[in-house]
């Protein structure tokens, strides 16, 4: 089974002004990221506005991304849903259209006991072929549900194709607990902790800000792997500054507006997400300037 690592932008989903899906904009956008040297892509997550999309739309986006990537890099499709049956269907369909791996966010809105989370994950895992690399997805600030290290360990014992998880919480202690389980592959999802995560043993990052500044993330990762710690630190500081200017992941239209400044059209966000206001444009311009210098 493939072991994944490196920088994976958490893909944005392009929408038109009337908020209809713009699949046609995916092609140039994904090519931009691949040309910047990213190691793979991650459609269907929080940054991709998945909770605001129908399941059919989510599958169509994954299929289009797979077609554009055309085997050049791995595609990790996020398939989690508030409903278990919908998540299992998404997992099967995204794998069927060519996703190389899946990530599974916890259900959201309702706070669930751990046994309910375990049953949910097992249902989705069992819907997939045994050779599908699977990553759980911990983002409790958005879902209210935590993937604890003991739960991850039990699921890895039950299903060897559970490779690890995406940890999108600024909690270094929990990251360390995950990594105590030998062989667990963790992708950091908190952009301020990419270098710290790599130093602790994480295999890479799944990042929203990597859409705007893929070069900085790739430089950080390459510098870390080749032992150039000063350069890795420099790029991590750059990433923290860019993330702050763009709203620290909390303003998805800032990502889309910044990409427009870079010549990449990814449309707008879907209601009820807010559009960028005039007061933010100077900060976006500064973020783009940082992203496009070495």
């Amino acid at each position: 089974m493939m072991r994944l690592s490196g920088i994976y932008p958490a893909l944005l989903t392009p929408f038109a002004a009337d908020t209809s899906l713009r699949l046609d904009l995916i092609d140039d956008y994904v090519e931009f990221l691949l040309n910047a040297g990213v190691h793979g892509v991650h459609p269907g997550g929080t940054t991709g506005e998945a909770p605001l999309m129908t399941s059919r739309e989510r599958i169509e986006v994954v299929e289009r991304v797979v077609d554009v990537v055309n085997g050049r890099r791995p595609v990790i499709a996020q398939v989690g849903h508030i409903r278990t049956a919908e998540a299992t269907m998404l997992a099967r369909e995204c794998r069927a259209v060519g996703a190389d791996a899946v990530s599974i966010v916890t259900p959201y809105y309702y706070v669930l006991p751990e046994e309910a989370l375990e049953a949910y994950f097992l249902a989705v895992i069992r819907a997939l072929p045994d050779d599908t690399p699977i990553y759980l997805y911990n983002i409790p600030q958005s879902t209210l549900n935590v993937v604890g290290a003991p739960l991850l360990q039990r699921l890895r014992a039950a299903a060897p194709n559970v490779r690890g998880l995406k940890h999108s919480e600024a909690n270094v202690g929990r990251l360390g607990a995950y990594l105590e389980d030998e062989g667990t592959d963790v992708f950091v999802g908190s952009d301020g902790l990419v270098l710290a995560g790599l130093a602790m043993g994480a295999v890479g990052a799944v990042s929203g800000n990597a859409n705007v500044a893929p070069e900085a993330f790739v430089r950080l990762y390459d510098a870390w792997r080749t032992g150039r710690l000063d350069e890795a630190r420099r790029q991590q500081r750059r990433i923290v500054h860019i993330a702050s200017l763009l709203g620290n992941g909390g303003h998805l239209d800032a990502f889309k507006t910044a990409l427009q400044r870079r010549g990449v059209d990814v449309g707008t966000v879907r209601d009820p997400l807010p559009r960028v206001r005039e007061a933010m444009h100077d900060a976006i311009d500064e973020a783009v300037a940082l992203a496009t210098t070495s």
Side-chain angles (χ1 to χ4, degrees):
M1 188 185 307
M2 72 170 73
R3 303 243 350 228
L4 306 180
S5 61
I7 302 301
Y8 284 65
L11 293 187
L12 299 154
T13 301
F15 296 107
D18 65 0
T19 74
S20 60
L21 189 60
R22 287 289 307 273
L23 290 173
D24 58 302
L25 296 181
I26 289 175
D27 301 32
D28 289 345
Y29 162 48
V30 170
E31 288 293 345
F32 162 77
L33 294 172
L34 297 184
N35 289 336
V38 301
H39 303 92
V41 291
H42 182 273
T46 308
T47 305
E49 304 176 52
L52 302 178
M53 298 169 64
T54 68
S55 293
R56 176 45 51 190
E57 287 176 324
R58 290 173 63 179
I59 295 163
E60 289 174 353
V61 166
V62 171
E63 185 171 24
R64 185 65 170 248
V65 170
V66 167
D67 287 346
V68 176
V69 172
N70 194 27
R72 290 174 289 172
R73 315 283 161 78
V75 176
I76 306 176
Q78 198 290 113
V79 300
H81 199 278
I82 192 171
R83 294 179 53 235
T84 301
E86 204 74 3
T88 57
M89 183 276 291
L90 280 162
R92 285 193 299 266
E93 292 298 318
C94 287
R95 184 65 164 145
V97 299
D100 300 287
V102 302
S103 69
I104 312 168
V105 77
T106 62
Y108 37 89
Y109 190 84
Y110 297 105
V111 179
L112 300 174
E114 193 167 88
E115 58 267 27
L117 292 176
E118 186 169 2
Y120 161 83
F121 281 123
L122 284 172
V124 182
I125 290 164
R126 289 167 179 162
L128 289 162
D130 291 342
D131 62 348
T132 306
I134 295 170
Y135 300 84
L136 311 185
Y137 184 177
N138 182 58
I139 184 168
Q141 66 271 29
S142 296
T143 66
L144 306 182
N145 291 298
V146 174
V147 180
L151 174 58
L152 174 61
Q153 290 167 5
R154 289 199 303 276
L155 291 168
R156 289 198 67 228
N161 54 327
V162 176
R163 296 297 327 140
L165 87 169
K166 177 192 175 188
H167 179 50
S168 293
E169 178 188 18
N171 186 324
V172 176
R174 205 182 317 275
L175 173 61
Y178 294 141
L179 292 168
E180 286 180 8
D181 186 14
E182 187 176 351
T184 299
D185 292 341
V186 178
F187 284 91
V188 176
S190 179
D191 290 343
L193 297 178
V194 176
L195 181 54
L198 292 171
M200 292 175 68
V203 297
V206 176
S207 163
N209 284 287
N211 288 288
V212 176
E215 301 90 347
F217 282 83
V218 171
R219 289 188 196 113
L220 188 161
Y221 182 76
D222 289 345
W224 167 254
R225 290 199 63 190
T226 55
R228 294 176 290 122
L229 187 55
D230 285 346
E231 173 63 10
R233 288 171 176 153
R234 188 172 76 88
Q235 296 299 338
Q236 178 66 85
R237 289 191 293 269
R238 180 192 301 268
I239 287 165
V240 168
H241 193 179
I242 290 169
S244 177
L245 290 166
L246 296 178
N248 290 309
H251 202 321
L252 298 183
D253 199 40
F255 291 156
K256 294 185 174 185
T257 303
L259 276 168
Q260 291 277 5
R261 299 282 205 279
R262 297 203 61 178
V264 181
D265 186 1
V266 284
T268 188
V269 291
R270 179 166 272 181
D271 295 337
L273 296 182
R275 273 59 168 181
V276 163
R277 294 186 176 182
E278 185 66 32
M280 198 174 180
H281 281 249
D282 287 347
I284 291 172
D285 288 341
E286 184 179 350
V288 170
L290 282 169
T292 53
T293 57
S294 59

